[in-house]
Amino acid sequence: MDYMKDITLNEKDSLQDMLNLEKNLAKVYSTVMTEGVSKGFRTTIKNHWNETVEDQADVYFMMTDKGYAEVQSAPETTLSEERNKFAKVKSGLA
């Protein structure tokens, strides 16, 4: 495996890999939760899902702290439009 000695991931790439892994795990756990019927099983999966989304957030915040990911705020007009859309949907469900 001589080819592997030349492969290195920098910190940013490693964190991005970790972020992608945590996001994919959260998706898998979400699917599994909807398929499970045993209360104990669902509780276990839900606990794993909670841990996974917390880990995902930790990795993401680490990336933002290090300048590897940038958080951009949405303009207030966009936020207001989205709030109005969801308020309409919510009122339609009641």
Side-chain angles (χ1 to χ4, degrees), residues 37-90:
V37 293
S38 160
K39 190 170 187 168
F41 175 79
R42 288 176 58 90
T43 299
T44 299
I45 295 302
K46 186 176 178 182
N47 291 339
H48 287 305
W49 181 84
N50 285 333
E51 291 173 15
T52 299
V53 296
E54 289 300 319
D55 290 344
Q56 181 273 326
D58 290 344
V59 173
Y60 181 76
F61 293 135
M62 186 182 303
M63 291 179 73
T64 59
D65 289 346
K66 293 179 175 282
Y68 299 145
E70 184 179 333
V71 178
Q72 296 180 356
S73 298
E76 186 57 41
T77 54
T78 302
L79 294 174
S80 293
E81 290 171 5
E82 293 301 315
R83 281 188 208 106
N84 290 338
K85 283 183 200 176
F86 285 110
K88 288 178 185 176
V89 169
K90 184 178 176 183

